[in-house]
Amino acid sequence: MKFRAKIVNHVSIRNFAQLVHVLSKAGKQLVLRIGPNKFAFVLSEKEIKANGVTAWCEFAPERCFSEYIMEGMSPENNEIYLEVSSDYLASVLSGLKSSQNTAGLKIKLTKKCVACLTIEIEVQTANSTSVCVHDIPITVLPPRSWTEYQQPQMPVFSVSMSLPDVKIVRKTIERLRHISPRVIITAKPQTHGKIIFSVESMSVKSSVTYTGLRMYEIGRLFYSNASISLKTLRFRIKLSF
């Protein structure tokens, strides 16, 4: 069993670190599903049972890694499943989300006192190059448990619509949660791609409406150029954006 990968592109390094950071917010344990033609992050089965959240992120190795070598447990089971602490992994990679001096990121499966995921971060400055090495303990999952980490099936849905810019939505939710801990999301495809975030308390009702969003049908895409409007009723709290 062997795994070694390397990233040298600055954008790919930053995106990889950011992806791990986002997934670490969804669960404490991540499973790395490593195959010859795909690399995937999967939330641990323990996390799914504990909080009901499912996360699956898959990409082709050549889209991210400049070097990618792996050998599975056997020719019949040519994959590797590693369970790792998402907080630990995100902490090791946290500095890469904005660093401009990172020259390379290496990820290796190693055996120290226990099985480890070894992270080597190469930092280059004007006068020198240094390498920071982290050994993260992992659990190698046996083939009998692999069926628990297959790609989830998409549920049946009646509306498929693009969200507005994620940064704008995040700011909206952060402001609305001061009114109520629960946000109601309503999608109205009949009105040219409209989605409404609304909250209600004893003293205020507030809703933020995004219109003109992109809507999807099978093989079709229509409506674009999103706009935003804010509606507030019976308010005591002023929302400012």
Side-chain angles (χ1 to χ4, degrees):
M1 190 167 57
K2 180 190 301 183
F3 170 64
R4 184 173 73 248
K6 183 177 181 179
I7 312 175
V8 295
N9 181 272
H10 289 286
V11 175
S12 296
I13 292 173
R14 186 169 61 248
N15 290 343
F16 189 87
Q18 184 64 45
L19 175 60
V20 172
H21 172 74
V22 170
L23 292 173
S24 70
K25 301 299 183 181
K28 295 182 179 180
Q29 296 291 327
L30 273 178
V31 171
L32 278 61
R33 181 179 175 181
I34 303 166
N37 301 312
K38 61 184 178 183
F39 184 98
F41 290 104
V42 190
L43 270 191
S44 170
E45 182 71 13
K46 302 172 187 175
E47 300 295 333
I48 297 174
K49 291 179 180 178
N51 54 35
V53 177
T54 300
W56 174 280
C57 178
E58 175 186 319
F59 55 87
E62 61 270 18
R63 298 291 299 273
C64 180
F65 303 110
S66 59
E67 178 184 331
Y68 186 83
I69 300 172
M70 67 82 55
E71 292 180 8
M73 288 190 167
S74 66
E76 297 77 20
N77 297 305
N78 193 25
E79 286 187 295
I80 305 173
Y81 286 66
L82 308 176
E83 187 176 54
V84 60
S85 167
S86 59
D87 288 338
Y88 200 159
L89 184 58
S91 176
V92 168
L93 300 176
S94 61
L96 305 182
K97 293 186 292 181
S98 57
S99 175
Q100 300 297 322
N101 298 324
T102 306
L105 172 64
K106 293 182 181 179
I107 307 171
K108 298 186 293 184
L109 176 61
T110 59
K111 186 176 182 181
K112 305 299 175 74
C113 296
V114 295
C116 291
L117 194 67
T118 297
I119 308 293
E120 296 182 5
I121 302 172
E122 185 178 343
V123 180
Q124 190 170 21
T125 62
N127 300 319
S128 64
T129 299
S130 59
V131 177
C132 183
V133 181
H134 301 267
D135 291 320
I136 305 176
I138 58 171
T139 300
V140 180
L141 300 178
R144 64 175 179 273
S145 65
W146 289 3
T147 56
E148 300 173 0
Y149 305 102
Q150 302 305 308
Q151 183 172 358
Q153 297 295 319
M154 288 293 293
V156 179
F157 55 89
S158 55
V159 178
S160 181
M161 184 185 302
S162 292
L163 282 174
D165 186 283
V166 175
K167 293 181 180 179
I168 296 177
V169 173
R170 179 179 179 180
K171 291 180 180 179
T172 300
I173 299 299
E174 287 178 347
R175 286 160 173 76
L176 292 178
R177 72 178 182 178
H178 292 298
I179 302 175
S180 172
R182 177 172 298 179
V183 178
I184 300 174
I185 302 175
T186 306
K188 295 186 175 182
Q190 300 85 356
T191 53
H192 291 201
K194 178 187 290 186
I195 191 168
I196 303 170
F197 296 87
S198 57
V199 293
E200 181 176 353
S201 67
M202 294 182 63
S203 57
V204 69
K205 291 182 180 179
S206 180
S207 66
V208 178
T209 303
Y210 297 88
T211 60
L213 301 176
R214 292 180 178 179
M215 296 173 54
Y216 296 87
E217 287 185 338
I218 299 176
R220 295 179 60 190
L221 167 65
F222 51 96
Y223 301 130
S224 59
N225 300 324
S227 60
I228 176 174
S229 62
L230 175 66
K231 298 178 180 180
T232 308
L233 303 173
R234 293 193 294 118
F235 62 90
R236 292 182 183 174
I237 302 175
K238 182 180 180 180
L239 299 180
S240 58
F241 290 80

